Amino acid sequence: MCGIVAYIGKKEAYPIIIKGLQRLEYRGYDSAGVAILNGDLDVYKKKGKVKELEDFLQDKELKGTMGMGHTRWATHGEPNDINAHPHFSSTNKHAIIHNGIIENYASLKTELESKGYEFKSETDSEVFITFIEYIQEANACPLEEAVRLALNEVVGAYAIVVISREFPNQMIAARKGSPLVIGVGDEEFFFASDATPIVEYTNRVVYMNDFEIASIKDGKLNIKNAEDVEKNPTIHEIEMALESIEKGGFDHFMLKEIFEQPKSIRDSLRGRLKLDTGTVALGGIREYFNKFVQADRIIILGCGTSWHAGLVAEYLFEEFARIPVEVEYASEFRYRNPVIKEGDVVIAISQSGETADTLAAMELAKQKGAIIFGVCNVVGSSIARLTHEGAYTHAGPEIGVASTKAFTTQITVLTLMAMMVAKAKGTVKQRTFQEILADLESIPGKITRVLENDGYIQKLAAQFKDSRNFLYLGRGYNFPVALEGALKLKEISYIHAEGYPAAEMKHGPIALIDEEMPVVFIATRDSSYEKILSNIQEVKARKGIVIAIVTEGDQEIKKIADHTIEVPHVHEALMPIVSVVPLQLLSYHIAVLRGTNVDQPRNLAKSVTVE
Ligand code: G6P
């Protein structure tokens, strides 16, 4: 949440910053602002999207080779021009951009007010920079030292960049809990919440660690920790093609990402699945693999769509590896004093690798001695770095706020993990193992076939765009798909939708069914087919409108459902990867027809770095 970007070098800073903000806008879009240092320190900020800021700045002189920008997801104070970042310190000497939350800001504010400081905004960030100013003046110390001392006093999470008209050749940044990447170019440096604003200029990055403070002065980068000890930055070379962060002819990132799924799944499988030898190998899981095989229990942690992928993994690990699994909302787990025993293994799932609750839950599990495996998309992210071992999904950057390709690649990787463990334990029959491997390899081609139904799904969307409620029902492996289908619809179209296990319908949701209520059944041919058929009959008996996702060639459901969308057959354990695709498209088209902002739905952010 909140995107930050900063530049110091020889080029004009503003064009780099505004473009960077556009790339980071998925992280929050309540307001945006920039600060440019050129003798003076100018700050411009506006409520609304980066585009509004850009239009507002069109006729302004924004010259300077050092500056920073922020796109906000509001925490403290409503989204308006005043609460937008950057924030000046009380005397307008220093300015800050901040992603995170300062939990003790109220007491700091009271203390500063008692010393005569005044505040313009309601934000914790303005308190933060004024506190830095206060420390700097009280100690008559360099700005960098003032930042370090201030950080030792604040409680909370932050990624910050600070610039100052009094220290014009220097840019200071620090992180704890919120992500921050340094781009190292040729006589130029960048700071950003992720690498997307940087890759156009350099592929050399340093991932900052918690409690580190970076200073760029006179063209040199120095990093130290909170105890003032210098650290040697490790430079990583990243691979991120520029096309992967652009829309490439699609109207929205979400649609592009839905259509990218055959490729992203192929990338997830590449080099990991060998059909001829019947082997699965995840290079990132070696040293602790035995812990996995010997696990008494698996605890899966995640939030949102990643939590749904975890539910699919529960079915996979229990059925094939015969290990009991608990899937936990990270936000609940972390505050529950959970029981973690020797022999427990944790899998943390996260697209961004930065979700604050997931990170905190992992830290807790780690403290209690659990071995943690990660399934992340963003390389070098905080969650990826906190795990003992893991596997990247290789989905490529996901920019649409509603997660699509991250979900299907997470399940792909989790399937590989489950199969690897099951094979080592000898709990899966060789025939089943081979069948699953073969079907996994066929999935990209099968998703391409589902995507060919896009035109039909778009027409269907037109019929349901004004519905006020939706119910999504599925059983077995398709139950998490029902949850994910409902989540996709509410996130981007703002239509109320609920996902349920189909059999639970009679314990409540059935009361909602009437001739106005669309009920989406994920009813592919699997071991619970007959049962879900009965559930469809129950809905039809109450005049509900049934939209069913069925296996190609299904005739029975076609006779009773109002609408059917066919998907190719795959082993039922893999069906979520296929059956979710029409639901992604249905939500997408309904949202487009309703005129909502598909890629940046209201109130949401892609990377939730606050709890
Ligand atoms: C936010 C996003 C969701 C995502 C969830 C977890 O709510 O909008 O799309 O599923 O966070 O994020 P993670 O990056 O940990 O998968």
Side-chain angles (χ1 to χ4, degrees):
M1 336 207 92
C2 298
I4 65 180
V5 56
Y7 174 80
I8 176 167
K10 299 223 147 76
K11 298 184 186 130
E12 283 301 328
Y14 174 70
I16 295 171
I17 292 166
I18 202 81
K19 201 168 193 186
L21 288 180
Q22 276 148 1
R23 299 223 195 279
L24 291 172
E25 200 166 23
Y26 72 87
R27 302 178 64 85
Y29 27 84
D30 289 332
S31 63
V34 294
I36 303 288
L37 192 103
N38 186 7
D40 215 352
L41 179 55
D42 296 322
V43 168
Y44 301 96
K45 45 200 202 171
K46 266 246 141 307
K47 176 181 175 201
K49 302 259 159 124
V50 174
K51 180 78 184 65
E52 284 161 60
L53 175 74
E54 200 181 359
D55 291 347
F56 168 68
L57 293 178
Q58 218 159 26
D59 50 2
K60 302 258 180 321
E61 269 282 292
L62 287 163
K63 294 262 169 244
T65 55
M66 171 174 172
M68 60 192 191
H70 185 276
T71 175
R72 177 170 187 243
W73 188 87
T75 57
H76 292 66
E78 65 168 281
N80 59 26
D81 292 357
I82 294 176
N83 288 333
H85 295 223
H87 286 285
F88 274 127
S89 60
S90 154
T91 58
N92 289 8
K93 266 199 285 199
H94 319 305
I96 193 169
I97 47 174
H98 170 214
N99 167 27
I101 289 184
I102 302 304
E103 287 167 12
N104 60 338
Y105 89 104
S107 58
L108 289 175
K109 191 171 185 178
T110 312
E111 189 188 326
L112 290 165
E113 277 169 343
S114 73
K115 295 184 194 311
Y117 287 94
E118 286 175 6
F119 296 92
K120 298 174 221 56
S121 77
E122 300 153 85
T123 64
D124 52 342
S125 315
E126 189 190 4
V127 175
F128 199 173
I129 189 66
T130 300
F131 186 51
I132 291 171
E133 178 181 289
Y134 161 67
I135 291 187
Q136 198 263 320
E137 282 174 354
N139 295 285
C141 61
L143 183 61
E144 194 181 338
E145 178 62 0
V147 171
R148 190 183 74 79
L149 293 171
L151 293 179
N152 281 319
E153 300 291 322
V154 300
V155 178
Y158 51 80
I160 54 164
V161 181
V162 173
I163 57 177
S164 167
R165 69 179 91 223
E166 273 196 1
F167 299 87
N169 303 320
Q170 193 172 14
M171 181 172 271
I172 297 164
R175 89 157 254 179
K176 185 200 150 206
S178 302
L180 198 53
V181 183
I182 309 173
V184 182
D186 199 11
E187 296 186 73
E188 59 184 3
F189 293 89
F190 305 78
F191 288 104
S193 300
D194 69 30
T196 56
I198 299 173
V199 284
E200 200 166 335
Y201 312 98
T202 176
N203 67 344
R204 301 171 74 224
V205 301
V206 176
Y207 297 107
M208 284 188 71
N209 294 309
D210 279 352
F211 303 107
E212 283 182 349
I213 303 164
S215 159
I216 292 160
K217 197 173 171 189
D218 303 326
K220 280 211 189 72
L221 166 69
N222 274 300
I223 298 188
K224 56 168 76 164
N225 65 15
E227 282 84 45
D228 213 14
V229 179
E230 294 246 345
K231 302 192 68 184
N232 269 339
T234 312
I235 296 183
H236 299 262
E237 299 217 340
I238 51 166
E239 287 169 34
M240 193 188 283
L242 207 52
E243 312 85 78
S244 68
I245 50 174
E246 291 178 343
K247 279 192 206 145
F250 284 89
D251 287 345
H252 296 98
F253 279 110
M254 182 181 177
L255 190 62
K256 176 182 174 233
E257 287 156 9
I258 293 173
F259 273 81
E260 263 172 6
Q261 288 176 110
K263 176 183 178 302
S264 50
I265 292 168
R266 237 174 246 127
D267 290 343
S268 282
L269 293 172
R270 182 159 301 121
R272 293 169 161 179
L273 173 74
K274 292 195 182 65
L275 261 192
D276 46 352
T277 49
T279 46
V280 176
L282 290 167
I285 302 181
R286 287 168 197 270
E287 202 185 324
Y288 294 93
F289 182 55
N290 274 343
K291 294 266 178 205
F292 222 155
V293 175
Q294 288 155 13
D296 296 324
R297 179 173 69 148
I298 296 173
I299 298 169
I300 298 184
L301 301 173
C303 299
T305 290
S306 296
W307 183 79
H308 293 160
L311 290 179
V312 177
E314 177 179 25
Y315 286 82
L316 288 163
F317 276 99
E318 293 204 339
E319 178 170 359
F320 299 110
R322 306 303 299 145
I323 304 173
V325 179
E326 280 167 33
V327 189
E328 301 274 0
Y329 284 116
S331 54
E332 287 298 314
F333 180 83
R334 63 182 286 200
Y335 288 117
R336 210 182 54 218
N337 193 12
V339 178
I340 298 170
K341 293 177 287 186
E342 212 185 311
D344 283 346
V345 150
V346 169
I347 304 177
I349 309 174
S350 175
Q351 186 286 127
S352 63
E354 301 295 345
T355 303
D357 282 320
T358 309
L359 258 174
M362 288 166 69
E363 269 158 11
L364 177 73
K366 214 172 182 185
Q367 270 164 27
K368 292 183 182 246
I371 299 297
I372 305 185
F373 296 95
V375 176
C376 288
N377 190 32
V378 178
V379 176
S381 56
S382 305
I383 290 177
R385 285 184 290 150
L386 193 66
T387 56
H388 289 92
E389 291 195 315
Y392 284 114
T393 50
H394 298 308
E398 190 182 66
I399 292 166
V401 165
S403 188
T404 51
K405 63 177 181 172
F407 179 69
T408 47
T409 53
Q410 282 166 347
I411 302 176
T412 303
V413 168
L414 288 159
T415 308
L416 293 174
M417 269 186 185
M419 286 300 129
M420 211 164 110
V421 175
K423 179 91 187 283
K425 287 187 72 169
T427 45
V428 57
K429 288 199 192 97
Q430 186 58 22
R431 244 188 72 210
T432 313
F433 181 78
Q434 284 292 358
E435 191 190 339
I436 290 183
L437 260 48
D439 273 15
L440 254 183
E441 200 168 72
S442 76
I443 277 193
K446 288 182 174 162
I447 292 184
T448 303
R449 261 159 57 197
V450 177
L451 294 170
E452 284 161 10
N453 285 332
D454 186 41
Y456 170 69
I457 296 172
Q458 192 174 8
K459 286 195 191 110
L460 207 56
Q463 291 184 45
F464 292 99
K465 73 176 179 36
D466 297 319
S467 298
R468 302 190 52 187
N469 297 289
F470 261 78
L471 207 53
Y472 285 73
L473 301 174
R475 300 180 80 119
Y477 283 95
N478 279 327
F479 157 55
V481 177
L483 297 182
E484 177 61 10
L487 177 65
K488 286 295 83 94
L489 188 71
K490 55 190 154 195
E491 277 181 313
I492 58 170
S493 73
Y494 318 144
I495 295 175
H496 169 246
E498 283 187 57
Y500 259 91
E504 276 291 306
M505 174 183 71
K506 31 189 177 312
H507 300 292
I510 200 163
L512 299 170
I513 292 170
D514 60 17
E515 57 278 8
E516 304 271 290
M517 175 67 113
V519 185
V520 179
F521 276 95
I522 303 100
T524 48
R525 273 215 179 259
D526 57 28
S527 50
S528 44
Y529 181 78
E530 298 301 329
K531 305 232 176 283
I532 208 155
L533 201 60
S534 312
N535 299 136
I536 294 177
Q537 300 280 17
E538 286 156 15
V539 170
K540 279 317 302 170
R542 285 155 187 89
K543 300 197 167 45
I545 309 161
V546 170
I547 304 166
I549 310 298
V550 297
T551 305
E552 275 173 359
D554 187 303
Q555 292 306 326
E556 273 180 84
I557 296 181
K558 258 195 190 145
K559 284 186 215 142
I560 44 175
D562 298 86
H563 309 276
T564 52
I565 305 171
E566 291 193 343
V567 295
H569 170 79
V570 282
H571 189 288
E572 69 175 278
L574 303 178
M575 191 43 99
I577 311 177
V578 178
S579 60
V580 76
V581 177
L583 304 185
Q584 296 167 342
L585 285 171
L586 184 66
S587 307
Y588 170 78
H589 288 301
I590 290 179
V592 170
L593 291 167
R594 286 168 71 92
T596 61
N597 189 333
V598 172
D599 282 335
Q600 293 166 351
R602 69 182 178 207
N603 304 337
L604 296 178
K606 184 141 193 78
S607 179
V608 183
T609 52
V610 296
E611 62 171 290

